[in-house]
Amino acid sequence: MYFVKLQSGAEVAVQLAQTDRGRWRATTTDGATVDLEVKGRGADGAFVLLVDGVQRAFRADPRDGSFTLIEDDVEHEVEVVHAADLVLESATRHDAERAEVETLCSPITGIVLKVPVSKNSTVTAGDVVVVVEAMKMENSLGAPRSGTVVEVYAEAGQTVFVGDPLVQIR
C-alpha cells in the first residue's frame, strides 16, 4: 500500500500490483484502477510511463524519493510514501516523544516515607527523589535521568505497590 500526495493537497491510498514485466495496476481504496506501463527514459532523463494509455514523464529525485510529473512544461510535485514507512515514522516519533519523559516506578511494595522533590524541581540522575520503607528498611530511589520533575505521584504515608508510578522526569 502506498500513499500518493499531489501538489494540490489531494491524497490517495494506492495498492500496486505488477501485472507483467514493466506493467502495474494501481487500485485505490475506493476501487478505481489505473494501468501503468514503463516505456523508458526521455532525452532529459525523465521516466516515461503510460498512465491509462496516456504518455507521462516523471522525474525521480533519488536523494529524497520525490517525484515530479512533467506536463506541458509544467512541473507538479508528487509524493509517494510506502504505508510501512508511515507506520515506522509514526512509531519512531511516538517513541521519541515518550523518551523525553521517563517515569520512575516503584520497584518494591512499601510505604512512602519522603518525597524530597516537587513539581519543577531540577534533578541529576541518581538524586534521591522518593524514599520507600519496605520490611523496616528505607530504600532511597534515585532519579532515572537528569532533568526536571514534571509530575509527582507519590506522597508521604502512601502505600505503593511494585510498578506504581512515583515521579515523572523530562
Side-chain angles (χ1 to χ4, degrees), residues 26-54:
T27 306
T28 64
T29 52
D30 64 3
T33 62
V34 175
D35 290 317
L36 306 166
E37 182 180 350
V38 177
K39 297 306 282 180
R41 287 196 158 202
D44 63 354
F47 292 97
V48 178
L49 281 81
L50 288 181
V51 179
D52 274 343
V54 178

Side-chain angles (χ1 to χ4, degrees), residues 99-117:
E100 291 178 8
V101 176
E102 192 162 344
T103 302
L104 171 65
C105 294
S106 183
I108 55 177
T109 296
I111 297 172
V112 176
L113 295 179
K114 292 188 256 183
V115 183
V117 296

Side-chain angles (χ1 to χ4, degrees), residues 119-123 145-151 168-170:
K119 193 170 183 173
N120 298 322
S121 296
T122 301
V123 295
R145 63 178 290 170
S146 297
T148 302
V149 175
V150 292
E151 198 65 54
Q168 198 172 62
I169 300 168
R170 179 182 319 268

